[in-house]
Amino acid sequence: MAELWIERLERPGLHITDLRVPGGHILCLHGPSGSGKTLLLRAIADLDPNNGQVWLGDRVRERLPAAQWRRQVIYVPPVSHWWAETVRPHAARWAEDMLAALGFERDVLDWSVRRLSTGERQRLAVLRALAREPEALLLDEPTANLDPANTEHMEKLLRDFARERQAPLLWVSHDPAQRAQVGDTEHRLVEGRLQ
Amino acid sequence: MNGGVIPLGGFELGLAASLLALAGALSWRLQMGVERRLLVAAVRAAVQLSLLGLVLQQLFHTLSPWLIAAVAGLMLAVAGYEVWSRQGRHLKGWWGYGTGMLSMLLSSVSIALITVQVILQPTPWFHPQYLIPLLGMLLGNTMTGIAVAMDTLGRETWNRQGEIEARLMLGEHAIEAIGDIRRSALRAGLIPILNSMAAAGVVSLPGMMTGQILAGGNPLQAARYQILILFLIAAGTALGTASAVLIASHRLFDKRERLRLDRLN
């Protein structure tokens, strides 16, 4: 099973010396806004310039083409952007069971993106990431816009995903109850440093 | 009919200027507020064109290849600046200026050179009577195409950052992530020349053809020259726009295929 290992990751406003998420584990991150949670997740996915080493199992990030790395370690931001007219073209193969698990009928794929609610967008954004069969996920408040029932479905889906695929999950959450519920470990980030 | 040119002097140009003054007076009376800019633009045009006339006269006289190269270089530099200044968001540093310049060098200059060497073949091949007007036409038109394309690329990339990054996050390559924007930038750059080719002779009488006819040239020959020029401009614009969009969109990402909006201003 592949461990996500972040070593001496540096960028302006962020200094992470050592952070490990074993495969199948969910590590919850929290901290005041502006503490660098999003910066950290974006840096791991190599979306912004940063220094340091990130490993997924025995693969080191810098040795993989950037696009390949990001397909394996997918960052899911709190607000999703969509580039096509309908939902379907945003993934090559949608997992039907997962659509159902988050309360969608199959016809959601033909819906116009413009007409999706914030919560629907958030659920579908996680699904389009899962549809790519990533080996690790970086989740930035994945339930921020969901009602309690959908939050519960999302938590279960992601937990099952982590266990079944033995995938490491980094999960930013403001909700202590949620962290206790889904997290195997939790860390607090303050001013770009882990405490 | 073998008319020849009716010479223009200061008096004739003065008459035309009085028409312009009338337009300025109208602007002042209706408080449109463009009279000042009208004046500046008119004076600029008059001074620039008179200087060009003087320079060309000198060039035709001496036929010095170095002088011709210097004039061509100056035209290219000014066109490069125009492209740069017409972009709302351009690449920072030398990239902003250099991308447009290089694209025009690749398109306009190379096509002008090919035309005098292969198609027109005057003696000497760099005779300014052909090279300079050709280069001027090509630069003037490719400049517009390149400026529009680069402006579209910069603006759309800036506005659609979220979309581009969403695609990168899901493991797409930079080229796929910016593909739509690249295509729309190319299209925007090519539309003016496509339109003017479609309207040529039906809606608009192209400037060069008009000029040749006014100068007493054979209308059929004038039409052929115009066709030649339109084809060259279209080829040059396509080439120039494509290279500008390619270079600029490449520069918008780094080695790790990250979108680098910090390279735009």
Side-chain angles (χ1 to χ4, degrees):
Chain A
M1 60 188 193
E3 180 190 53
L4 185 66
W5 177 23
I6 295 117
E7 198 188 13
R8 288 194 306 277
L9 193 69
E10 299 275 338
R11 61 176 290 189
L14 192 72
H15 315 273
I16 304 294
T17 39
D18 186 43
L19 179 64
R20 289 165 191 263
V21 192
H25 277 238
I26 298 180
L27 189 149
C28 282
L29 267 179
H30 63 114
S33 52
S35 60
K37 303 183 292 293
T38 297
L39 293 184
L40 170 59
L41 298 195
R42 284 182 59 101
I44 297 171
D46 218 0
L47 288 160
D48 301 316
N50 65 89
N51 289 312
Q53 286 203 321
V54 185
W55 299 74
L56 183 64
D58 55 2
R59 283 159 290 173
V60 67
R61 182 180 66 176
E62 271 59 39
R63 298 241 184 82
L64 291 178
Q68 196 182 329
W69 173 259
R70 290 187 205 119
R71 201 155 45 238
Q72 293 171 1
V73 181
I74 297 187
Y75 168 57
V76 185
V79 177
S80 59
H81 290 267
W82 303 77
W83 56 90
E85 191 64 38
T86 60
V87 175
R88 190 186 302 275
H90 293 91
R93 209 178 40 236
W94 293 85
E96 233 160 301
D97 51 331
M98 291 187 184
L99 279 169
L102 289 191
F104 288 112
E105 301 284 334
R106 180 99 190 125
D107 70 341
V108 68
L109 299 182
D110 297 316
W111 289 5
S112 160
V113 170
R114 282 165 199 275
R115 291 176 47 203
L116 297 175
S117 72
T118 326
E120 285 166 341
R121 278 173 179 242
Q122 183 153 40
R123 284 181 282 153
L124 287 167
V126 171
L127 290 174
R128 82 180 171 185
L130 290 174
R132 284 164 171 82
E133 305 190 336
E135 296 178 38
L137 276 179
L138 312 169
L139 302 156
D140 207 341
E141 300 183 53
T143 61
N145 299 300
L146 303 187
D147 59 38
N150 275 316
T151 299
E152 205 174 301
H153 295 151
M154 179 69 85
E155 288 169 356
K156 181 176 179 336
L157 177 77
L158 289 170
R159 230 175 24 224
D160 289 350
F161 173 81
R163 302 289 181 265
E164 280 162 24
R165 307 289 173 89
Q166 284 299 298
L169 262 57
L170 245 172
W171 185 321
V172 170
S173 171
H174 285 300
D175 177 7
Q178 180 172 63
R179 294 198 295 271
Q181 168 84 9
V182 301
D184 298 299
T185 347
E186 70 172 75
H187 280 297
R188 186 173 153 80
L189 198 65
V190 177
E191 288 176 359
R193 290 173 203 276
L194 286 173
Q195 291 193 326
Chain B
M1 196 179 84
N2 193 0
V5 193
I6 302 167
L8 284 183
F11 177 68
E12 287 86 352
L13 288 181
L15 281 180
S18 64
L19 287 176
L20 200 61
L22 206 66
L26 196 69
S27 154
W28 177 75
R29 186 81 184 76
L30 296 179
Q31 303 185 329
M32 284 153 61
V34 290
E35 59 273 8
R36 223 188 116 79
R37 283 168 65 184
L38 198 65
L39 180 70
V40 172
V43 170
R44 255 189 78 167
V47 171
Q48 285 165 196
L49 290 175
S50 303
L51 279 177
L52 179 67
L54 282 174
V55 169
L56 286 182
Q57 208 171 33
Q58 193 59 32
L59 278 185
F60 285 19
H61 189 65
T62 59
L63 285 184
S64 150
W66 298 113
L67 217 54
I68 295 167
V71 170
L74 184 69
M75 289 164 71
L76 182 66
V78 173
Y81 175 77
E82 275 293 318
V83 167
W84 181 82
S85 69
R86 287 188 199 175
Q87 295 169 51
R89 299 200 176 278
H90 37 72
L91 292 169
K92 282 183 190 165
W94 272 98
W95 285 92
Y97 188 72
T99 306
M101 272 272 271
L102 184 66
S103 308
M104 278 185 295
L105 188 70
L106 286 175
S107 55
S108 295
V109 177
S110 66
I111 286 190
L113 289 179
I114 291 170
T115 308
V116 290
Q117 291 265 25
V118 181
I119 304 179
L120 294 175
Q121 298 183 327
T123 9
W125 65 265
F126 52 82
H127 198 298
Q129 185 189 344
Y130 297 92
L131 189 60
I132 299 293
L134 268 177
L135 190 61
M137 291 259 207
L138 280 164
L139 280 177
N141 286 280
T142 54
M143 180 176 86
T144 309
I146 291 171
V148 169
M150 287 181 74
D151 179 56
T152 309
L153 185 77
R155 205 162 16 85
E156 296 251 305
T157 304
W158 186 276
N159 293 338
R160 292 161 71 180
Q161 173 190 14
E163 257 174 68
I164 300 172
E165 288 204 318
R167 302 178 78 147
L168 294 178
M169 284 166 200
L170 292 167
E172 288 191 9
H173 285 286
I175 290 177
E176 304 167 71
I178 203 170
D180 291 342
I181 293 174
R182 249 169 46 165
R183 277 185 289 277
S184 73
L186 268 178
R187 217 176 300 124
L190 282 177
I191 280 173
I193 180 62
L194 293 180
N195 286 344
S196 65
M197 278 206 288
V202 189
V203 185
S204 63
L205 257 189
M208 192 190 79
M209 188 171 163
T210 315
Q212 279 198 343
I213 293 173
L214 281 178
N218 176 330
L220 204 60
Q221 274 300 322
R224 288 188 187 153
Y225 260 90
Q226 188 62 55
I227 294 169
L228 172 78
I229 278 293
L230 278 179
F231 285 4
L232 296 178
I233 289 174
T237 309
L239 212 71
T241 321
S243 56
V245 167
L246 267 166
I247 298 170
S249 62
H250 192 79
R251 175 70 187 158
L252 287 170
F253 295 91
D254 62 16
K255 265 185 275 171
R256 297 296 293 171
E257 300 191 47
R258 308 174 185 117
L259 179 63
R260 297 296 296 274
L261 283 187
D262 56 316
R263 291 176 179 175
L264 279 176
N265 64 358

